[in-house]
Structures are given as structure tokens and as C-alpha cells.
Amino acid sequence: MAILITGGAGYIGSHTCVELLNAGYEIIVLDNLVNSKIHTLDRIKEITGRNFRFYKTDLLNKAEIQSIFLENDIEAVIHFAGLKAVGESVEIPLRYYHNNITGTLNLCEVMNEFDVHNMVFSSSATVYGLQEQVPLFEELPLQATNPYGRTKLMIEEILRDVYVSNKNWSIALLRYFNPVGAHPSGRIGEDPNGIPNNLVPYITQVAVGKLPELKVFGNDYNTHDGTGIRDYIHVVDLAAGHVKALEKVMSSSGVIAYNLGTGTGYSVLEMIEAFKEVTGQAIPYQIIERRPGDIGISYADPSKAKKELNWEAQKGLYEMCSDSWRWQMNNPSGYDVEVKEQENLSVTPL
Ligand code: NAD
Ligand code: WQD
């Protein structure tokens, strides 16, 4: 019996593959590599010393998903695959709706067909929308403020309807806060295309000298230093949360949402200061106007995940910064460096 990981070559997916393999699970990775590199898979194998099957498959291709279910004995799916750039989703909403929603519909249809009803889904704290009330807890009313967020909200609702239609389904909706950091080995991490949208990869690229300075989006929020506060969570903690959620869905039924956050918020200036200390590098920055659509404060109430999944984040700000930095230093051009250095690198078939 195996766990299918859609989007398993991506940032959070790759770290979750490591945790699952280390916990003894057999995994199968499906990814179309639209936002990831095949070399990630060899690094997962290197870290864990374990092998697994990889399918370069697009979730929009239903026949290929069916073949994967035919060839393998799958008992649960962890569904990461999706497009995730908020700004891009405003520019090309149809691509986001089609990719994220049609992809999920195809996956659910095939799961139904093969009688597989256990799913852990990557939702996002973005489903809480513009609420200023903190901490954010699972029962708050939900809203979306951009097409990307709307795909997450719609998929949550679709999955609730799917459960109503067939009570065999067991689904965990994991609402991630702000994932940062990298595996402590420095071998896998976040490898954004082009100029990063998110704070932490932007800071590490400034620290390593790839980008001249950080633009801080506003210092007039109602926070202690005026800059935005977020609940940054180490990606390895997040990955461990998936193992717990998987155990939960495989032993129950229903649709349950869980926040995966630390419950602690840090401001942009506190993040800059922490990175300065950890890296020993100057992080030049300039305060500019607010980024449209941003909220002042967002952090989780993580108590439901602690109570029901027996999970809580273990890693603090120091590890978030030092692991992000190690990954950046060891892989200044992301996974591309290895492509040049190891031309013969390939994915070992099982
Ligand atoms: P990522 O882009 O690194 O990983 C997503 C993976 O899905 C990529 O490897 C991509 O190639 C693959 N993919 C996309 N569309 C596909 C398709 N149609 N068929 C097959 N593969 C496809 O992103 P991530 O940061 O690892 O995020 C994973 C999930 O978590 C996403 O659903 C994202 O929306 C969600 N999420 C991410 C964050 C974050 O800040 N990183 C926060 C909240 C939620
Ligand atoms: C964090 C803080 C910015 C960049 C986004 C998505 C969300 C989720 C996670 C997927 C904010 C400030 C940032 C910069 C800055 N993704 N900032 N200068 O906006 O909380 O969440 O990623 O689900 O949907 O919206 O994360 O890292 O972009 O920003 O000052 O160059 O850093 O204003 O306060 P965000 P972020």
C-alpha cells in the first residue's frame, strides 16, 4: 500500500516526502514539474536512502491518473499539486481555476473510481481573507481576496460536498500559514523562479548578494513596529504535520480543517534582524508603500491541530533562518547548479 503525493517535487511536497519515507511509508510522486525540478527527487532519495516511483504527470490528464491508480495499490493521497502565485493568479485567473480546480476534480473522480477516499489537502491561511481578528481559528467565516485564494476556498467546499455524497471520504484540509526554511541537510529547499514574491527567499537572496535590497511593504500597519506580522512556520514542522494528518484521515472519516502554524507572529523588521544575526550579512532595505491586498497581522490559533493531530511546531525562528540560509548558500542558483555539475543525474526507476 502506498501514499500518492501530488506535487511531491515541489517545496512543501519534497519535505513531506522525506518525513513520510523516514516514517516508513511507501510513496509515489506525481508532478508535472511546472514549478519544480526533477533533481529534487534524487535529493529526497539521497537524504532518506529510500527509493520511490515518480510519474511526470499533469493532473489535467485524467487518463494518466487512472493508469497510476491501476499500476499501484494506493491507500491515500496527499494533494499538494497546484499553482500558488497570488499576483500571477490575478493576471491569468483561468489558468489557475483550470489547473487547481479541474486538476482536483480529476483526482477526486479517479479516487472515487478506485475506491480510495483518504486525502490530505494543501489549503492555505489565505482562506481567512482580510480578517484583522487574530489569532485565526478554523471556525471563522472564510473569504478569498484573489483568484488563487478562491481556488483554495472552492476546493475546500468541493471536498465538503464530496464527503456529503459519500461518507467513506476522510479529508484533512490543512491551512498553512507562512512556510519558510529548508531541510537541515541543505539539500532540498525553496527554489522560486525569477524574483521571489515571498519575504524569506527575497531576504536570503539579498543576504547572498543576488538582489540589492529588500523593499519593505509598508510601516504604517497597526503593529508594534508598523510592519506586517506573519506566522512563519518551518517547512520540516509543516511536513511532520502531514504525517500526523495522514494518520488521522486513515483512521477516521469526515472533512476537518486544521491550521498549521506556530501561533507566534513576527514582523518584517524582526525577520530582517533575525536574518542579519544568523547570516552575519547586512540586509539593506527600504520602506515603500503597502502591497495591495496585504493585511497587517496574521497568525494561527494552532490548538486544534495540537489537540486532534497531536502535532505542534517544534522549530523556532533561529532554525527557520539558519536552514533557509544554509540552503541558499549551498545552492545559490537553486537546483540548477547541480544540473551543470552532474550532467548524468537522473531519476532512478524502481
Ligand atoms: P510548489 O509550487 O513548490 O509545489 C507545487 C507542485 O505542484 C510543483 O512541483 C508543481 O510542479 C506541481 N503542479 C502544479 N500543477 C500541477 C498539475 N496540474 N499537475 C501536476 N503537478 C502540478 O508549491 P509549494 O509551496 O510546495 O505548495 C504546495 C501546496 O501548498 C500548493 O497547493 C500551495 O497552493 C499550497 N500552499 C503553499 C503555501 C506557500 O507559501 N508555499 C502556503 C499555503 C498553501
Ligand atoms: C510576508 C510579509 C509582506 C515580500 C503569501 C500568500 C499566501 C500564502 C503565503 C499560499 C508581508 C512582507 C513580503 C517583500 C515585504 N501562499 N513583504 N517585502 O503575503 O503573508 O502570504 O504567501 O497560500 O496566500 O499571499 O507572504 O512572504 O509574501 O509576505 O515587506 O518583498 O512580508 O508585506 O507582511 P504573505 P509574503
Side-chain angles (χ1 to χ4, degrees), residues 41-319:
L41 303 170
D42 287 289
R43 304 248 185 129
I44 296 169
K45 291 174 187 177
E46 172 198 310
I47 292 168
T48 60
R50 293 200 49 205
N51 207 350
F52 54 87
R53 278 193 182 149
F54 169 63
Y55 291 88
K56 185 174 181 298
T57 294
D58 195 316
L59 283 182
L60 297 179
N61 187 334
K62 193 172 163 189
E64 281 190 23
I65 310 174
Q66 283 166 321
S67 310
I68 297 174
F69 276 77
L70 262 178
E71 283 169 26
N72 298 282
D73 194 1
I74 293 168
E75 63 179 325
V77 178
I78 305 188
H79 178 31
F80 293 102
L83 298 173
K84 64 164 182 178
V86 172
E88 189 182 63
S89 80
V90 176
E91 286 159 27
I92 44 172
L94 295 179
R95 180 159 181 234
Y96 270 67
Y97 287 121
H98 190 48
N99 188 77
N100 293 4
I101 294 177
T102 313
T104 303
L105 294 178
N106 284 343
L107 177 65
C108 289
E109 281 170 3
V110 176
M111 287 176 72
N112 253 337
E113 195 181 318
F114 285 82
D115 234 349
V116 178
H117 295 111
N118 297 320
M119 181 191 273
V120 176
F121 171 64
S122 296
S123 187
S124 167
T126 194
V127 299
Y128 294 115
L130 289 175
Q131 273 162 101
E132 287 285 345
Q133 174 188 349
V134 280
L136 298 163
F137 57 96
E138 289 83 352
E139 283 68 37
L140 280 171
L142 306 178
Q143 53 174 229
T145 56
N146 55 67
Y148 164 71
R150 237 174 317 276
T151 68
K152 293 294 174 194
L153 197 48
M154 287 177 181
I155 294 169
E156 285 204 4
E157 286 172 359
I158 289 167
L159 294 176
R160 284 195 189 89
D161 288 341
V162 160
Y163 169 69
V164 169
S165 75
N166 178 347
K167 298 286 191 310
N168 288 326
W169 279 90
S170 181
I171 302 169
L173 310 169
L174 301 185
R175 297 179 184 155
Y176 314 151
F177 279 69
N178 289 59
V180 298
H183 193 267
S185 63
R187 298 296 287 159
I188 56 172
E190 189 172 12
D191 183 14
N193 288 326
I195 296 182
N197 298 312
N198 295 113
L199 180 66
V200 166
Y202 206 110
I203 290 182
T204 58
Q205 291 198 14
V206 170
V208 84
K210 270 178 83 175
L211 293 169
E213 66 172 12
L214 174 74
K215 307 265 189 286
V216 175
F217 298 141
N219 66 348
D220 56 350
Y221 287 105
N222 187 18
T223 62
H224 64 278
D225 62 19
T227 63
I229 289 181
R230 294 291 183 275
D231 186 337
Y232 298 96
I233 174 165
H234 197 294
V235 67
V236 172
D237 276 332
L238 198 60
H242 289 72
V243 179
K244 296 289 193 180
L246 182 67
E247 288 165 6
K248 173 85 177 173
V249 296
M250 291 202 298
S251 61
S252 58
S253 68
V255 185
I256 312 185
Y258 295 104
N259 283 342
L260 294 188
T262 64
T264 302
Y266 293 104
S267 73
V268 177
L269 295 182
E270 284 169 336
M271 293 301 282
I272 295 173
E273 202 48 46
F275 269 98
K276 235 164 72 182
E277 271 177 38
V278 166
T279 65
Q281 306 294 313
I283 320 269
Y285 69 88
Q286 191 197 142
I287 311 273
I288 63 162
E289 68 278 9
R290 292 181 179 196
R291 181 170 63 179
D294 269 2
I295 48 170
I297 308 185
S298 164
Y299 61 89
D301 173 349
S303 57
K304 187 173 171 191
K306 184 176 180 189
K307 190 163 157 238
E308 296 183 20
L309 300 180
N310 189 27
W311 171 88
E312 68 183 322
Q314 305 291 326
K315 293 174 184 278
L317 188 54
Y318 177 81
E319 282 159 299

Side-chain angles (χ1 to χ4, degrees), residues 5-21:
I5 318 293
T6 78
Y11 172 45
I12 305 168
S14 57
H15 289 81
T16 303
C17 289
V18 167
E19 295 306 307
L20 288 165
L21 290 166

